[in-house]
Amino acid sequence: MKKTYILIISFIVAVMNSCGLEDKPGSEAEITLAQGQKIALSIAAKGEIAEIRFNSTHKWTTEFSSTTPETDWVQIIPSSGEAGDAVCKLMFDSNNSGRERGLTLTILAQNASKRILFSQKAVSGSGSQDTPEDDDSTGDENPGDANT
């Protein structure tokens, strides 16, 4: 009889330890941008590093799409992570393409997503650089536009 109780208790403990947040029914993923995090950013023509701060209730990953066929002008570190607070750094190269370019970064966690838009003007022909003016849009002002 003691063996039966020990087996049942061991089984219950094993099941409880194997259940994570992602396995619980009704536990939907959420991605929340940090307070003040802008959802539309202008990047300097000469290039720069931008940080995106957010919290995810589940494992997350990123993907991006560009207005140009190539995306080798931007790098993101890290491109995925575990649940919790996160900071992604996007490193933008100088835009010598002769035309403005754009990028949409999407942060994904299960069925949840957040989009952040970037625009980068081209370095002007005279060698001077266009100075960006950040859009005042933040994730707090109109979160419906950033969700998809």
Side-chain angles (χ1 to χ4, degrees):
M1 185 91 146
K2 286 184 181 182
K3 287 183 181 182
T4 305
Y5 287 123
I6 291 174
L7 286 173
I8 292 172
I9 291 173
S10 297
F11 177 74
I12 292 171
V13 169
V15 168
M16 290 175 66
N17 285 335
S18 68
C19 290
L21 179 62
E22 296 178 56
D23 300 324
K24 293 181 182 176
S27 173
E28 292 194 26
E30 288 184 42
I31 300 167
T32 307
L33 296 177
Q35 185 173 2
Q37 176 64 61
K38 296 180 179 187
I39 59 170
L41 296 144
S42 295
I43 302 300
K46 66 180 180 177
E48 67 180 89
I49 297 174
E51 288 188 349
I52 304 300
R53 297 176 181 277
F54 62 94
N55 179 283
S56 178
T57 58
H58 290 66
K59 289 181 181 181
W60 56 272
T61 188
T62 58
E63 61 183 38
F64 48 81
S65 59
S66 171
T67 57
T68 63
E70 65 282 335
T71 56
D72 60 347
W73 50 275
V74 63
Q75 296 176 14
I76 184 167
I77 298 174
S79 60
S80 62
E82 299 296 321
D85 292 333
V87 178
C88 289
K89 291 187 180 193
L90 287 89
M91 292 158 279
F92 292 87
D93 291 342
S94 177
N95 184 0
N96 300 312
S97 70
R99 64 184 200 281
E100 185 173 348
R101 59 189 176 191
L103 180 89
T104 300
L105 170 71
T106 305
I107 304 166
L108 303 158
Q110 288 188 346
N111 60 341
S113 67
K114 289 284 183 187
R115 289 187 181 150
I116 301 171
L117 309 173
F118 298 89
S119 62
Q120 185 183 31
K121 294 195 183 283
V123 173
S124 65
S126 64
S128 65
Q129 316 240 335
D130 294 325
T131 304
E133 294 181 23
D134 281 349
D135 185 331
D136 287 334
S137 300
T138 64
D140 299 329
E141 293 176 14
N142 195 353
D145 289 345
N147 294 331
T148 325

